[in-house]
Amino acid sequence: MTLADRARRVIPGGVNSGQRSIPGFTDLVITRTSGARFWDQHGREFTDYHAAFGPALLGHNDPDVAAATAAAGTSLALPGVAVTDAEVALAERLTELVPSLEKVLLTSTGSEATFHALRVARAATGRRLVVKFQGCYHGWHDSVSLNVISAPDRLGAHDPTSTGILPEVLDATLVLRFNDTAAVRQVFADHGDDIAAVILEPIPHNVGALLPTDDFLRTLREECTRAGSVLVFDEVITGFRHALGGYQSICGITPDLTTLGKAIANGAPVGALGGRADLMDLFSTRPGGPAFFAGTYNGHPQVVAAALATLRKLSDEPVHEHTFRLGERARTELAALYRSLDVPTVVTGYGSVFVTYFMDGPAPRSYDDLLANDAARFIGVRRNLTEHGIFELPLNLKRSHISYAHTDADIDRLVEATEAAVRKTLADGVPADLAHTSTMGGAQR
């Protein structure tokens, strides 16, 4: 019996998260990670551009982060009461770096952070409605677990990612097109007095990379301010991967609340929620605060140590300079490759993130545009890349990531392998199990 078979006997589906079981790779078992690579149970080596949905900005097993985590484990276990000096230091550092953060609370996941952001927004405003955008993912909780990667016939209606969600919960969430300023103005004209919060990924990376327009982000800020609604930037992906101050420091729009995770600690299980002091003081961590907030593992000494070490390295070393340069190389050279092969594509992304859509036209601005993507070819090319030791997650619309551990030689090999993978895909056609693929893939970050 293989390791994968043993896993399926005792773990539903053989994996502990909904998108770790990849069609065509159901026997993949990871045994080691290091830098920009991982190895499977057969000893095969892969250059990793998936990077666990993106947190490993420094690369897997970064030695400085690992050393800090190990040191914390020898001196302090989870006390479960009061606060540790490292928690104070991390909160201080986060409020220094991210423009919107006046006060901050730590969570264990990004989903918890977005959950609490919406809870406190409703507590502050006394309102019911939340606005989200098609293609954005904000975690597994019921009020936002809808309309991420949707089939064409599900656009314009609620499209929950799971059964078991109460209809009245879904009814309290309004879903709009990303980058649609007219729709934003209209929803506030119709419902502004009952909108507690607007939540968005400033770049919806869960469907690759939809870059926001300046007018769209300004409109969100203006309408939320006018209506007294809470603007929430979900920077679980964009925060720290794109800048030490998050994408808000790049676009110049300051939200009321910000959620963080992933690259905050290079893959250690920590998230954060921060923002305006008057909102954050509504949590029950302050005596008398009406919005309940708890978590046994919040601020765990080892994950806090990992976060402090990660932020220190991001501040002291040219991590963003390196990853942005390689990201630009990847996007530029992949686009040139596809032109030379006469394969219609849009190669886009931001900073260290890149994605190739198999479609004609300009860079997409909303999820509607992505319906033109050839999902079967998108997945087929990525499957064929694995034969050359390159791993980009073979699910539709998923982005790829470059880390500080990647090198120019890795980008050279990526482009070479992509050419071979594309030629094989063109020659062999679409695999049988992808023949009827349109929009497929899931919501996980």
Side-chain angles (χ1 to χ4, degrees):
M1 182 180 295
T2 68
L3 279 168
D5 289 333
R6 287 165 54 194
R8 284 187 284 270
R9 284 186 62 193
V10 291
I11 302 170
V15 292
N16 280 300
S17 189
Q19 283 191 288
R20 294 183 189 174
S21 182
I22 309 301
F25 296 87
T26 55
D27 289 327
L28 182 65
V29 177
I30 309 302
T31 58
R32 185 162 68 95
T33 60
S34 179
R37 288 163 175 75
F38 68 76
W39 289 259
D40 72 3
Q41 76 272 33
H42 304 298
R44 293 180 298 178
E45 177 182 321
F46 297 89
T47 303
D48 184 14
Y49 292 97
H50 168 48
F53 292 96
L57 177 55
L58 299 177
H60 297 299
N61 299 30
D62 177 81
D64 297 314
V65 176
T69 304
T74 64
S75 61
L76 185 65
L78 178 68
V81 67
V83 71
T84 64
D85 56 348
E87 288 174 81
V88 177
L90 178 56
E92 288 174 338
R93 188 64 179 133
L94 291 173
T95 57
E96 291 168 0
L97 290 171
V98 183
S100 65
L101 269 57
E102 295 176 353
K103 292 188 177 183
V104 64
L105 286 167
L106 299 180
T107 64
S108 294
T109 67
S111 289
E112 293 170 73
T114 57
F115 172 88
H116 286 296
L118 299 184
R119 171 181 279 181
V120 81
R122 286 182 164 127
T125 62
R127 299 174 182 178
R128 173 173 174 265
L129 299 178
V130 167
V131 174
K132 78 171 293 283
F133 295 89
Q134 177 71 52
C136 290
Y137 175 70
H138 305 294
W140 38 252
H141 50 97
D142 290 0
S143 62
V144 291
S145 193
L146 71 164
N147 293 80
V148 185
I149 295 181
S150 299
D153 63 350
R154 297 302 300 162
L155 296 185
H158 282 152
D159 182 27
T161 62
S162 175
T163 58
I165 301 176
L166 295 174
E168 54 266 38
V169 174
L170 295 174
D171 288 344
T173 302
L174 307 177
V175 181
L176 305 183
R177 291 175 68 245
F178 191 78
N179 273 328
D180 190 337
T181 56
V184 171
R185 293 191 181 99
Q186 188 62 55
V187 80
F188 272 96
D190 294 341
H191 304 286
D193 290 344
D194 200 22
I195 294 175
V198 174
I199 186 169
L200 75 155
E201 297 177 82
I203 299 177
H205 278 314
N206 280 285
V207 290
L210 299 175
L211 300 181
T213 65
D214 292 341
D215 183 51
F216 174 66
L217 295 180
R218 280 197 305 269
T219 299
L220 291 176
R221 180 66 279 174
E222 291 168 359
E223 292 294 334
C224 283
T225 300
R226 183 178 299 114
S229 305
V230 177
L231 178 59
V232 183
F233 271 16
D234 179 350
E235 297 226 44
V236 167
I237 297 173
T238 57
F240 303 119
R241 177 163 280 279
H242 291 341
L244 274 166
Y247 191 74
Q248 61 195 260
S249 68
I250 297 169
C251 69
I253 301 296
T254 302
D256 301 301
L257 292 173
T258 298
T259 62
L260 299 166
K262 297 197 183 297
I264 188 176
N266 205 52
V270 59
L273 166 63
R276 283 173 23 203
D278 63 305
L279 294 174
M280 297 300 295
D281 280 340
L282 293 175
F283 283 114
S284 63
T285 51
R286 184 186 66 81
F292 185 73
F293 185 95
T296 298
Y297 300 111
N298 293 351
H300 191 286
Q302 287 176 279
V303 298
V304 169
L308 285 168
T310 299
L311 295 179
R312 185 159 49 246
K313 196 158 189 172
L314 294 179
S315 299
D316 294 347
E317 298 191 23
V319 176
H320 290 106
E321 178 184 346
H322 176 81
T323 57
F324 274 45
R325 182 181 65 80
L326 292 186
E328 184 61 25
R329 261 204 71 195
R331 289 186 293 272
T332 299
E333 295 183 24
L334 288 172
L337 168 65
Y338 283 108
R339 285 195 300 271
S340 73
L341 296 174
D342 198 27
V343 175
T345 59
V346 175
V347 182
T348 186
Y350 186 89
S352 59
V353 172
F354 66 96
V355 61
T356 299
Y357 300 118
F358 288 84
M359 54 190 277
D360 280 313
R365 290 297 189 183
S366 70
Y367 181 82
D368 305 54
D369 298 332
L370 298 180
L371 297 177
N373 177 57
D374 186 335
R377 184 168 287 182
F378 186 103
I379 298 167
V381 168
R382 291 185 173 207
R383 285 188 180 180
N384 287 330
L385 274 172
T386 63
E387 297 179 10
H388 302 274
I390 303 293
F391 193 86
E392 294 186 54
L393 188 66
L395 288 177
N396 189 34
L397 302 181
K398 294 308 178 187
R399 67 204 178 274
S400 295
H401 312 85
I402 290 169
S403 77
Y404 196 36
H406 284 92
T407 66
D408 280 286
D410 290 325
I411 303 303
D412 293 339
R413 184 67 187 129
L414 170 67
V415 176
E416 293 170 3
T418 299
E419 180 173 2
V422 172
R423 290 188 183 278
K424 179 175 174 56
T425 304
L426 295 175
D428 293 352
V430 176
D433 65 321
L434 298 179
H436 302 291
T437 298
S438 56
T439 54
M440 65 176 290
Q444 184 175 336
R445 295 179 188 273

